[in-house]
Amino acid sequence: MTASPYDVLDPEIAIFVRRMIADASAHPPREQLTPPEARRVAEIVRQPWTEGGPVMASREDHMIPTRHGPVRIRFHRPEGLAAPAPALIYIHGGGFVLFSLDTHDRLMREYAARARMVVIGIDYSLAPEARFPQAPQEVVDVVRAIHARAAEFGLDPDRIALGGDSAGGNLTVSACLTFRDAGEAPIAAMVLNYGGFSMDLVSPSVLRWGGGNYLLTTHMMLWFLMNYVSDPEQRFDPRLRVLDADLTGLPPAWMVITECDPLYDENLEMRDRLAAAGVAVGAKVYPGTVHSFLEAVSVAKVAGAALDDTALWLKHTLRLN
């Protein structure tokens, strides 16, 4: 019997991957679409995975002024949470080009319910309409505003975490580097879910896992990068290639690392560089998982386990009740 590429995956994650690939195959390849068309397709393909999950006491949108104009944020508040509440500000992935508050709505609600904290999504501007460094600048401005207005929003300013997946992990580290350099400390912890930290397409994990069977592909990574930067040399900017930045003085970090992921190698390297820089870092590799696997929580126990691990780490790090 011929081996399947899915044999290396957790069986429930394999279900997720098959469904995602089948749903995406009903649409033209991404490289044949404009970024706005690709976003529309991505919303359709991701929509089934946002359904269900925890019910919040409230969901509110607010507009936050930034140097690039207003940016929308979305609050998810679980039942029975008293103010001032701890918060996780969450930055969705999508290669700086795709996805939205809607594609990651269930993921944010899962964190809110499991960690018992407010979760706030940032609807940062996407490329190529907004190229680097607009997105990291918007994130910095939004975090500063949320921290400054913590009392107004019912938040504890000393217990605010910042996190995200994929591109969102990159933006998390980039923002915290900016705060450190400015002598500010609005963020008490970082959550880094299978982040893109190096912008490097040359690694064993890119070669092994980027061929098309495990959701994130090498070509997709190149498409994202070329839509995001105005000049290929920008990929070496330490606000983007955060793996090479001076990482000293950053907040404690928790890293969710996927085994079958083109970004696997750079996540291990980021873990090691954070530790070498004296940052308190916890990390766990989830066997048989793929990039974006947290969105599979409705079908995969390993996704729920990873969410619970993060919630437990946040409770310990932020000293939550």
Side-chain angles (χ1 to χ4, degrees):
M1 180 180 295
T2 303
S4 164
Y6 304 123
D7 290 346
V8 297
L9 299 182
D10 174 282
E12 293 170 338
I13 293 296
I15 293 170
F16 171 68
V17 171
R18 286 190 176 98
R19 288 184 186 174
M20 289 280 280
I21 290 175
D23 289 348
S25 68
H27 305 275
R30 184 172 287 103
E31 62 269 20
Q32 295 180 12
L33 301 173
T34 66
E37 291 170 336
R39 285 180 210 131
R40 180 184 61 80
V41 170
E43 296 286 328
I44 294 170
V45 172
R46 242 64 183 190
Q47 193 274 333
W49 305 99
T50 70
E51 297 175 348
V55 176
M56 296 288 100
S58 67
R59 188 179 84 164
E60 315 156 4
D61 286 4
H62 295 266
M63 300 303 294
I64 300 293
T66 76
R67 73 193 81 174
H68 297 288
V71 169
R72 183 172 59 130
I73 62 174
R74 177 172 295 167
F75 284 77
H76 299 271
R77 300 181 188 269
E79 291 280 357
L81 190 62
L88 168 62
I89 302 173
Y90 198 80
I91 312 169
H92 68 78
F96 312 102
V97 181
L98 304 177
F99 303 157
S100 68
L101 296 180
D102 293 332
T103 60
H104 284 60
D105 190 86
R106 176 161 183 176
L107 183 56
M108 290 189 284
R109 287 185 283 114
E110 293 284 353
Y111 278 129
R114 292 169 190 254
R116 299 293 303 151
M117 59 197 309
V118 177
V119 176
I120 309 161
I122 303 179
D123 192 22
Y124 61 94
S125 299
L126 300 176
E129 296 90 339
R131 291 184 182 267
F132 175 82
Q134 182 168 334
Q137 290 173 344
E138 288 181 351
V139 169
V140 165
D141 292 350
V142 167
V143 172
R144 282 174 170 154
I146 292 172
H147 188 262
R149 298 168 62 182
E152 174 189 343
F153 291 135
L155 306 178
D156 182 342
D158 296 324
R159 295 189 296 168
I160 298 177
L162 182 65
D165 55 273
S166 196
N170 177 284
L171 291 167
T172 295
V173 176
S174 180
C176 288
L177 289 169
T178 297
F179 298 137
R180 180 206 62 193
D181 292 346
E184 304 171 39
I187 297 302
M190 299 187 295
V191 173
L192 308 175
N193 295 330
Y194 35 86
F197 304 118
S198 78
M199 306 301 119
D200 191 353
L201 300 180
V202 182
S203 74
S205 62
V206 169
L207 182 63
R208 182 174 185 185
W209 305 113
N213 293 311
Y214 307 102
L215 298 188
L216 180 62
T217 71
T218 305
H219 183 273
M220 194 183 304
M221 293 164 64
L222 180 60
W223 186 82
F224 287 146
L225 183 61
M226 296 309 293
N227 273 295
Y228 187 47
V229 298
S230 301
D231 179 342
E233 290 302 307
Q234 287 180 325
R235 70 190 190 278
F236 300 112
D237 189 306
R239 293 171 297 174
L240 181 54
R241 189 179 167 88
V242 294
L243 186 64
D244 287 344
D246 173 11
L247 301 174
T248 57
L250 292 187
W254 170 255
M255 299 182 67
V256 169
I257 303 175
T258 47
E259 181 187 30
C260 307
D261 185 354
L263 304 184
Y264 174 79
D265 289 340
E266 64 193 74
N267 273 259
L268 295 185
E269 190 170 359
M270 175 58 86
R271 176 199 64 189
D272 295 344
R273 292 195 184 191
L274 284 167
V279 177
V281 57
K284 185 173 180 179
V285 175
Y286 293 85
T289 60
V290 297
H291 201 78
S292 296
F293 84 100
L294 293 175
E295 296 169 52
V297 64
S298 61
V299 298
K301 290 186 289 292
V302 66
L307 293 170
D308 284 339
D309 289 341
T310 302
L312 184 63
W313 182 86
L314 283 167
K315 290 176 180 179
H316 173 76
T317 304
L318 299 181
R319 295 177 174 85
L320 309 184
N321 292 330

